[in-house]
């Protein structure tokens, strides 16, 4: 979900237009419900933000706000009461995620019981593989900010290759940019 809202993906106007034409109901649901709900959960805006949902149907809980808080990436500016409440909800969610880890694992096993993974593909999802692929043998020693910067450059190149930016695209992006979910 978060990947769909990256600026490199959001700028792909022809791709989004084709998706809207072929999957209209899903596109409307994404724009009107999922995207705003994800933004609110990430920014801890909803009163129900990070309330602990029932783990019965969840395979991977939304742990991004918790991870950002643990890594010190969140900007805690603004009213202290609001952010203390948000931090408390994050800690409650983290406690619930840890307590329900076995339930999430069982849910994942149930969903994937007929799936047979390919050994070659499994390697591609390992952290070590992506570090070597994107940053070479010294990738693990490079600072996180530098790795993120390079990954952002890779995404920009791939996005430009898929849909090269034209004058019309630049004008449309400046007018409709927020509609297509530019970074928030």
């Amino acid at each position: 979900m978060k990947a769909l809202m990256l600026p490199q993906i959001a700028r792909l106007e022809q791709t989004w237009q084709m998706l809207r034409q072929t999957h209209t109901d899903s596109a409307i649901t994404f724009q009107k419900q999922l995207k705003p709900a994800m933004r609110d959960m990430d920014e801890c805006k909803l009163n129900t933000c990070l309330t602990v949902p029932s783990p019965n149907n969840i395979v991977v809980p939304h742990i991004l706000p918790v991870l950002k808080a643990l890594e010190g990436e969140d900007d805690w500016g603004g009213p202290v009461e609001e952010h203390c409440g948000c931090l408390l909800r994050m800690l409650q969610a983290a406690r619930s995620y840890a307590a329900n880890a076995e339930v999430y694992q069982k849910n994942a096993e149930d969903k994937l019981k007929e799936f047979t993974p390919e050994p070659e593909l499994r390697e591609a999802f390992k952290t070590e593989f992506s570090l070597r692929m994107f940053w070479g043998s010294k990738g693990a020693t490079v600072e996180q900010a530098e790795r993120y910067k390079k990954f952002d450059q890779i995404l920009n190149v791939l996005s430009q290759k898929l849909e090269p930016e034209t004058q019309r695209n630049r004008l449309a992006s400046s007018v409709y940019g927020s509609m297509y979910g530019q970074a928030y």
Side-chain angles (χ1 to χ4, degrees):
M1 185 67 195
K2 187 81 169 169
L4 291 174
M5 297 182 337
L6 288 173
Q8 295 90 346
I9 303 298
R11 68 167 287 283
L12 301 174
E13 296 171 19
Q14 294 171 358
T15 304
W16 283 110
Q17 186 176 23
M18 185 176 16
L19 284 170
R20 282 188 202 99
Q21 289 172 354
T22 56
H23 304 285
T24 306
D25 292 341
S26 296
I28 291 171
T29 301
F30 174 73
Q31 284 289 358
K32 301 290 184 191
Q33 295 175 2
L34 297 176
K35 192 172 159 184
M38 179 64 87
R39 184 177 301 129
D40 288 344
M41 285 183 355
D42 284 344
E43 296 175 1
C44 205
K45 284 187 176 177
L46 296 175
N47 290 334
T48 58
C49 162
L50 295 174
T51 53
V52 182
S54 169
N56 294 337
N57 293 322
I58 297 174
V59 174
V60 179
H62 185 63
I63 61 172
L64 186 60
V66 174
L67 293 176
K68 281 184 165 185
L70 290 173
E71 290 183 354
E73 290 184 17
D74 270 340
D75 178 20
W76 296 101
V80 173
E81 298 83 15
E82 182 181 317
H83 293 291
C84 285
C86 186
L87 182 59
L88 177 63
R89 287 190 298 276
M90 279 187 212
L91 293 173
Q92 288 171 335
R95 183 180 306 132
S96 170
Y97 299 156
N100 291 310
E102 290 178 7
V103 176
Y104 300 136
Q105 182 175 357
K106 183 187 177 309
N107 292 343
E109 288 169 355
D110 289 347
K111 299 258 187 239
L112 297 172
K113 62 183 154 196
E114 297 192 21
F115 175 74
T116 53
E118 295 182 31
E120 300 84 20
L121 192 56
R122 181 177 283 198
E123 176 71 19
F125 287 103
K126 292 185 178 179
T127 303
E128 298 81 16
F129 176 82
S130 63
L131 285 174
R132 286 190 317 267
M133 181 178 152
F134 292 124
W135 296 279
S137 61
K138 297 182 183 179
T141 61
V142 176
E143 291 292 321
Q144 180 184 34
E146 184 65 28
R147 288 195 312 260
Y148 285 172
K149 182 179 172 186
K150 186 161 185 174
F151 189 66
D152 194 49
Q153 291 171 340
I154 292 168
L155 290 177
N156 285 332
V157 167
L158 291 173
S159 179
Q160 288 292 330
K161 184 172 177 134
L162 183 62
E163 284 186 27
E165 192 163 343
T166 63
Q167 180 65 28
R168 186 175 101 23
N169 287 358
R170 274 183 250 135
L171 289 173
S173 293
S174 65
V175 173
Y176 298 109
S178 61
M179 181 177 133
Y180 292 109
Q182 291 187 344
Y184 55 89

